[in-house]
Amino acid sequence: LVVEVLPDFVKCANKASGDVYFEGQLCRGVIPEQSLWEYDSGNGQVTFYLKKMNLELFSKSHQHAEMWWPKLCAHHCEIQWDDYEKDYSDLPPEIMRQYAKNEEQSKMLNNVEYKERLKK
């Protein structure tokens, strides 16, 4: 394999044939020196571990929504926010408490709306 990880670009190709398995201009920057990849010969799978630059946090600390990448590569469609499990465990305690409170309120509201629909 030939793997190339640049601050704004990733490529994985077959060294012998030149076939490109994955290639793309990244949506946001990564730190190549802190990014890794591994090849599983059992299933032929390549896994990338890309260390995000997260430059947005320098100007907006503790705003984790700014770390979200809408997509991996520029040519990909956007990832839907609710399509994955979120982990906010590294948020400061006061923000985590507010997040938990908001989540509880949202669940209660959804429950009330659901019961109202059942009545109709």
Side-chain angles (χ1 to χ4, degrees):
L1 287 179
V2 175
V3 176
E4 186 176 6
V5 178
L6 302 174
D8 62 349
F9 181 81
V10 175
K11 180 178 181 178
C12 177
N14 184 302
K15 189 174 186 175
S17 69
D19 291 340
V20 176
Y21 302 125
F22 181 85
E23 177 177 42
Q25 189 75 31
L26 295 171
C27 176
R28 302 232 179 122
V30 298
I31 304 170
E33 299 80 15
Q34 294 180 17
S35 297
L36 306 168
W37 64 273
E38 67 181 1
Y39 174 69
D40 183 341
S41 60
N43 63 15
Q45 184 175 357
V46 176
T47 303
F48 289 91
Y49 302 94
L50 302 173
K51 175 70 174 180
K52 296 194 256 179
M53 284 185 188
N54 288 332
L55 298 176
E56 298 83 2
L57 289 180
F58 286 117
S59 62
K60 302 174 184 178
S61 63
H62 302 302
Q63 292 192 8
H64 284 234
E66 296 298 323
M67 293 185 346
W68 173 255
W69 287 20
K71 50 189 168 182
L72 177 61
C73 292
H75 67 276
H76 291 155
C77 60
E78 289 199 12
I79 301 167
Q80 297 302 310
W81 179 255
D82 291 331
D83 283 355
Y84 78 104
E85 278 298 315
K86 300 166 201 74
D87 177 15
Y88 295 123
S89 60
D90 60 340
L91 289 175
E94 64 276 3
I95 295 174
M96 191 61 197
R97 281 191 294 276
Q98 183 61 45
Y99 169 75
K101 180 181 173 183
N102 291 348
E103 282 295 299
E104 188 61 34
Q105 288 174 343
S106 178
K107 286 179 185 176
M108 287 174 26
L109 180 60
N110 287 341
N111 192 22
V112 168
E113 289 173 351
Y114 176 73
K115 287 179 180 178
E116 287 296 317
R117 278 187 297 219
L118 287 177
K119 288 180 183 178
K120 293 180 181 181

